[in-house]
Structures are given as structure tokens and as C-alpha cells.
DNA sequence: GCCTGTGAAGCTATTCACAGCT
DNA sequence: AGCTGTGAATAGCTTCACAGGC
């Protein structure tokens, strides 16, 4: 690793920049300045330049960043060469929606196995992906070399599923259950807590406005 | 407002604390210390005490916080007295899953209207909620006094829908579309970017481990 | 002139550490 | 003895501002 591993937030923004750059490339653009990308991403140009420093990629003071080169550089930085395999536990409404959402979206991150306790769901394909009984989780995760787990089971079951993923060798979890998970600190957990997000939005829907009015 | 409006992150944690305290109350507990709540929430006890300062609620040095009192205090702080109404635009897989997820979850935040362009979906109930054609958005949002919008339309349509919500009077948006939205700054936007989150998890699934090994 | 790359400054968020209470 | 509440210190993140290059 040539530069120190940057923080959480930088990684998130690099992922965003890549998507925006890919779109810009499709729209026929070949170069972009830091302030162009900043405008698309909703951040400052200084932020963009800082984030790009982490890549070791260098732009050109007169033409800015060469889009394809920068995308390649982000790819090399973020992605594992052969891609990574992902599993999802909990094939309810949300689980199915997420499986559909990620189908054909990022080919280097494929959901290759789903798990559920309901025998009606197991043993068949769901969104093009085999659904296994929950009891096979450890075996399938190990056999398929799965490194990332998505948790969409009810809150009460989430911790137990997380433990299984971790024991089976996953080092990253994306948790949609509204409970904080306890995991060894070699495991990275990203929580998506929709209830919390909605309550935040509702709160600021009432306060942002008034706040703007009061100048200071 | 007796204390200054606290930040984004504090509001999020207060929402989390409330859920954890409600569970603790159901489990029969009547009091909790800051370190108890910190353990449940996965934060430090100093963080919990700071966050609670914003409420103006005071604990007792010998017994800690009285759970019901603290929950009431959070409720008074976060929630609008009569509740707030929410609308969702884009009744695809994800939209339906989110509607189902929020049904009967937080009664003070009810999704009372859904919108879609597909005529097969409009004019009927979906997850117990009426689905209207997208063209009625402004009228319905206004008539029903909706203040929060959830965006689950495809990326290409997201900005236009956001504009409609804003013009109709929503001050808060929960955006699931993987594009940054441009809104007036009296409007609060919370982005849930699942692609970005999954890429972050995949990245750290590969790096966290090695980082732990090097003690630094 | 307007860009990138980056040290230094500034800000925000978290944690420390201790006075005060029970 | 062990807690809360909070000023002060620290850590982490973002922006400023400018040297260097085209």
C-alpha cells in the first residue's frame, strides 16, 4: 500500500466519484476538473483533490483529470482484482428488493447466495440467485469464498446471523437490521438504519427552515 | 428552543437510544446508566451523556437515567406533537419493501401516500396505502399536509421528483436513488446509497484485517 | 489565468478528566 | 464508591490559500 489507508468517508466518496465519472464518460466527456466533479458530487473541489491524493493518481493542471484514467485508478484502488462474492441472509421484502437492486449493477460485487429459514423460499432461484436454508450458511460461505454478508433478517435474529457470517470468514457486513451488531474489530460493519434515517429527516424537515431564517 | 439545535449525528443517536430504551423497558428495566446505554448503542458513555445534554433531561447520579422519563424526553424533542405525514415516490421492489417496513413501525411517521407512473399500480392500495399517479403528487402532498418525501424512483427521475416534492412543500427528503440531489438549503436530504455502502464494506472487508495485524 | 497538489489553519465531533452529588 | 454534567483537550475532517506548472 503506497499511501496510508484513508478513512471511511473518503472511500465512500471515491465510490461516488467513480459512478459520476462513468456517467460523464458515457455522455462523451474525456476530462474533468476537480470543481466539475465537486459540483456533481455535492462537495467542494478541495475535498475532491484530497480524496484523489489517496489514489496516487495525478491530474493535469491545464486539462484537469483524464476521466478514463481516473476511473481505472479508482477501480484499482477500491476493487479486488477478481471481484468479491456477496451473500444475503433474510429473503423478505427488503431482501428481495436488494437482490434485485444489485443484479447487474456492479459486476465485481455479485450476490451469489441467499439464505432464509422459510422452506418455501429455499431450494430455488430468487432474482437469479440460489436460496439456501439458513443452516447451510457456514458451508456455502466457505465453499464459495464469500467475503461480504448482507443482513436483512428481523432485528431479533440479526446478531446470530452476524456471528455465523463472521465465523464463516466474512470480514465485512452490511446490516439493515435496526440493532447495533457486536463483532470482532477485524470485521467492518456498515449499518443502514432506515428508521433512524427517516426520523432524522422528519426532525430536520421541521428545524432546517427556521434555522435558515435566524441568520447567525 | 432552549438548547441550540444539535447536529445531525446527535439526532441520529437519540433516535437509536430511544429504540434501545424502549426495548429495555419492555424487558422490565426501569433505570439505565450512561454506560449501559453506551454498551447497547456501541458508543462511549461520554457520548451518551453529551447527547442527552441536548434534551435538557437530567439523570440521577446514583440511579442513572429513569428510562420512561428519558424516552418521553426524547419523544418530546424529536417528534412533532401530532406526528408527521410521509409520502413515497416510486413503487418498485424497493419502494414496496420500504412501505412494508414502515407499516406499524413508528406511528408518528406514517406513509400516507405513494406515487408511481405505472397505471397498473395507481388507483389501488399498496401495503395498505393509496397509490396515486405521479402527476397528482403536488396536489396530494399539499392536501394531506405531507412534510417528508421518500424517493425510490430510478436515478434518472430522482431530481425531477425531488423538485416536485420541494415545490409541493416538503422540507425533508429521504433519497434512495444513487444520485446527489440539488435542493434549496432549507430542505434537508438524507441519502441512502446502497451501492456506495456495499462498496465500502467490500473495501474494508479486505483492509480492516491487515490493519488490525499491524499494531502501529 | 486557471488549474493541481498540499502544508497549514479552521472546524466539528469525540473523549478526557474532574467537580459535585448521592 | 460510582455516578452525572461539563469545561478543556484531543482527534478527525474539511477548507483555505498558495507554490508550482501549463
Amino acid at each position: 500500500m503506497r499511501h496510508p489507508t484513508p478513512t471511511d468517508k473518503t472511500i465512500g466518496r471515491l465510490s461516488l466519484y467513480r459512478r459520476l465519472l462513468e456517467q460523464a464518460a458515457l455522455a462523451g466527456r474525456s476530462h474533468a476538473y476537480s470543481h466539475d466533479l465537486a459540483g456533481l458530487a455535492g462537495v467542494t473541489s478541495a475535498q475532491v483533490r484530497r480524496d484523489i491524493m489517496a489514489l496516487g493518481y495525478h491530474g493535469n493542471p491545464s486539462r484537469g483529470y483524464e476521466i478514463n484514467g481516473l476511473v481505472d485508478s479508482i477501480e484499482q484502488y477500491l476493487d479486488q482484482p477478481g471481484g468479491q462474492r456477496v451473500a444475503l441472509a433474510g429473503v423478505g421484502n427488503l431482501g428481495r428488493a436488494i437482490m434485485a437492486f444489485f443484479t447487474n449493477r456492479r459486476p465485481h460485487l455479485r450476490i451469489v447466495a441467499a439464505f432464509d429459514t422459510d422452506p418455501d423460499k429455499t431450494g430455488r432461484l430468487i432474482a437469479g440467485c440460489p436460496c439456501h436454508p439458513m443452516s447451510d450458511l457456514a458451508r456455502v460461505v466457505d465453499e464459495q469464498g464469500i467475503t461480504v454478508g448482507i443482513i436483512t433478517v428481523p432485528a431479533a435474529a440479526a446478531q446470530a446471523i452476524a456471528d455465523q457470517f463472521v465465523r464463516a470468514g466474512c470480514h465485512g457486513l452490511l446490516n439493515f437490521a435496526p440493532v447495533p451488531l457486536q463483532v470482532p474489530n477485524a470485521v467492518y460493519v456498515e449499518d443502514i438504519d432506515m428508521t433512524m434515517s427517516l426520523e432524522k429527516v422528519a426532525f430536520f424537515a421541521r428545524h432546517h427552515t427556521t434555522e435558515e431564517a435566524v441568520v447567525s
Side-chain angles (χ1 to χ4, degrees), chain A:
Chain A
M1 135 183 20
R2 55 173 83 91
H3 295 266
T5 307
T7 124
D8 205 321
K9 302 193 171 196
T10 296
I11 300 302
R13 284 188 301 260
L14 286 172
S15 162
L16 174 60
Y17 299 158
R18 166 160 63 178
R19 276 205 320 254
L20 297 168
L21 290 165
E22 283 167 347
Q23 283 175 237
L26 284 175
R29 298 182 52 80
S30 69
H31 290 76
Y33 294 116
S34 61
H35 60 258
D36 296 328
L37 189 46
L40 294 171
V43 300
T44 64
S45 60
Q47 183 76 83
V48 169
R49 295 199 298 275
R50 269 275 173 242
D51 290 335
I52 288 175
M53 277 177 70
L55 302 174
Y57 178 85
H58 285 257
N60 177 308
S62 58
R63 265 159 299 148
Y65 302 102
E66 200 275 310
I67 290 181
N68 290 327
L70 181 50
V71 168
D72 287 351
S73 188
I74 295 176
E75 182 173 315
Q76 191 167 17
Y77 192 81
L78 290 185
D79 301 347
Q80 184 157 78
Q84 278 167 280
R85 286 149 174 267
V86 181
L88 179 145
V91 187
N93 289 310
L94 186 60
R96 268 194 303 269
I98 288 166
M99 290 172 71
F101 183 85
F102 283 118
T103 299
N104 299 326
R105 198 165 281 254
R106 285 275 150 203
H108 64 99
L109 288 176
R110 282 209 310 134
I111 301 181
V112 297
F115 299 96
D116 205 287
T117 47
D118 182 349
D120 289 351
K121 290 173 186 158
T122 60
R124 56 196 196 80
L125 293 180
I126 294 178
C129 165
C131 182
H132 307 273
M134 206 66 94
S135 50
D136 289 356
L137 194 146
R139 183 179 58 74
V140 174
V141 165
D142 183 55
E143 282 177 7
Q144 306 245 4
I146 287 164
T147 56
V148 172
I150 301 178
I151 297 176
T152 48
V153 299
Q159 182 63 54
I161 299 299
D163 293 344
Q164 288 187 54
F165 270 130
V166 170
R167 267 202 303 278
C170 287
H171 289 277
L173 297 175
L174 183 57
N175 176 40
F176 285 83
V179 283
L181 300 177
Q182 308 289 327
V183 297
N185 60 6
V187 176
Y188 180 86
V189 178
E190 171 96 0
D191 290 296
I192 294 186
D193 186 334
M194 299 194 300
T195 302
M196 188 182 93
S197 295
L198 187 62
E199 293 201 327
K200 264 167 68 171
V201 172
F203 179 86
F204 286 111
R206 297 180 5 247
H207 291 74
H208 242 228
T209 333
T210 59
E211 200 175 85
E212 288 317 291
V214 179
V215 179
S216 103

